[in-house]
Amino acid sequence: MRALVLLLSCLFAVPCLAEGYPERAIRMIVPYPAGGSTDILARAILQPLTEILGKPVIIDNKSGAGGIIGTTEAARATPDGYTIVFGNLGPNALNASLYKKLAYDPVRDFVPISKVVDVPFLLVTAPSTGISSVTDLIARGKKDPNALTYASVGQGSASHVTAELFRRQAGIEMQHVPYRGGAPATNDTLAGQVSVYFITPLEGMGQVQAGMLKSLGISTAERSPLFPDTPTINEALPGFQVVVWFGILAPAGTPPEIVARLNDAVTRAVATPSVQEALKKLGVEPKSSTPDAFAATIRGDVDKWAKVVKEANITLD
């Protein structure tokens, strides 16, 4: 009789789906190449996440099309908790407005698990430009509409739309100079070939600390303890705030109990002292969240960037 009761409870109650989870290795899709910024951040939590879950978490790099290939595969995976994806602002929010025909819906096709890290932008310039502050930059732009240029890592990238948001809020003109990746964008910024560049600490912290690049401001709402001498951009341009988040999501339909189990594991992994130290050394802020809070962040960013993309007439297809 007891066996029958257990059987019936598992047939009619979702919680049994999560009983004993995980029973095998979990695949975490990283939709970017090995060794890149997203891959580095994902691997930072890999060991503690594996230890907490008691089963291996194995990274599967599925790069291509700016994160679309791997994110699409994750969206179509069986929602059983054994395939998750390490997503970020680009494929999981920004792409919704950049592509008219996207193979997945960033909101409908995923259930957020938890954020892992918040990555700010540093607005940098070469010392040779003589630009001394955000206020100085805006004043130059208003004085001469043809005076300023800005680098990005490509059309429709987070660095591109962030610069467009800045330009529009500041009421100035800046010519966009897109590059194929962060290295050439950084090199031309160092050489003074472009006026400014919104760069992540993952790319530019070393050059800023060495004085090769001057950081005019950080894109967070409040000053960062990781960059205590850098003012926020919104001190000169009230209301300006941009954070590129990275976090873990699962395919829509993943049972709530498995989502809760994964959220607990990710939250504990992010809080691990070794992870905290490793991420802060990269100049980024460890930041876990509840699934609901993460979902609200994604919905908010989908709406926020849709407006910027529309006003700037940015499209990728």
Side-chain angles (χ1 to χ4, degrees):
M1 178 61 72
R2 184 172 181 273
L4 178 61
V5 171
L6 288 173
L7 176 61
L8 290 173
S9 67
C10 283
L11 287 172
F12 295 104
V14 173
C16 281
L17 293 173
E19 188 175 338
Y21 173 86
E23 297 179 337
R24 62 179 190 272
I26 297 169
R27 179 174 67 134
M28 182 160 69
I29 294 175
V30 173
Y32 294 92
S37 297
T38 305
D39 183 69
I40 290 170
L41 294 174
R43 292 181 189 276
I45 66 165
L46 202 59
Q47 182 176 342
L49 192 57
T50 290
E51 292 173 353
I52 292 166
L53 288 169
K55 296 293 180 181
V57 179
I58 301 170
I59 285 182
D60 185 6
N61 294 98
K62 293 284 185 178
S63 61
I68 291 177
I69 291 176
T71 306
T72 300
E73 182 170 329
R76 295 173 177 172
T78 302
D80 57 6
Y82 290 100
T83 297
I84 56 179
V85 62
F86 195 81
N88 67 55
L89 173 69
N92 295 101
L94 186 54
N95 280 358
S97 53
L98 289 172
Y99 293 90
K100 295 178 181 178
K101 296 180 180 179
L102 196 60
Y104 60 88
D105 185 298
V107 174
R108 184 188 64 226
D109 292 340
F110 292 95
V111 55
I113 301 298
S114 174
K115 282 207 297 184
V116 171
V117 63
D118 279 344
V119 178
F121 278 114
L122 299 172
L123 177 57
V124 299
T125 188
S128 61
T129 65
I131 300 171
S132 60
S133 65
V134 172
T135 300
D136 182 27
L137 175 67
I138 294 173
R140 291 192 186 201
K142 289 185 174 180
K143 183 178 180 181
D144 183 356
N146 299 313
L148 301 174
T149 56
Y150 70 89
S152 83
V153 298
Q155 184 82 358
S157 64
S159 59
H160 177 198
V161 298
T162 296
E164 277 298 312
L165 178 64
F166 174 87
R167 183 183 72 77
R168 290 173 178 275
Q169 287 192 6
I172 62 174
E173 293 298 324
M174 295 196 300
Q175 182 180 347
H176 179 210
V177 183
Y179 291 85
R180 286 192 168 187
T186 302
N187 289 339
D188 272 10
T189 305
L190 286 164
Q193 297 298 312
V194 289
S195 306
V196 292
Y197 175 30
F198 279 93
I199 194 171
T200 68
L202 292 158
E203 300 172 277
M205 186 166 62
Q207 290 93 331
V208 170
Q209 291 175 338
M212 299 167 66
L213 288 173
K214 178 178 177 60
S215 181
L216 304 176
I218 191 168
S219 66
T220 48
E222 300 177 352
R223 291 202 182 199
S224 169
L226 303 176
F227 302 94
D229 297 327
T230 301
T232 65
I233 295 170
N234 71 20
E235 290 175 33
L237 189 63
F240 184 88
Q241 179 186 358
V242 175
V243 173
V244 179
W245 46 260
F246 292 74
I248 294 176
L249 305 95
T254 300
E257 289 72 21
I258 290 179
V259 171
R261 175 79 173 100
L262 286 168
N263 174 264
D264 174 72
V266 173
T267 299
R268 290 165 59 191
V270 172
T272 303
S274 61
V275 171
Q276 293 272 319
E277 182 181 1
L279 292 175
K280 288 177 180 179
K281 281 184 177 179
L282 295 172
V284 301
E285 183 181 359
K287 198 80 166 181
S288 60
S289 66
T290 65
D292 286 346
F294 192 12
T297 295
I298 293 172
R299 289 193 301 269
D301 274 339
V302 168
D303 293 341
K304 172 181 178 176
W305 293 113
K307 183 178 180 181
V308 176
V309 167
K310 182 178 180 179
E311 291 177 350
N313 194 29
I314 303 170
T315 183
L316 295 182
D317 64 2

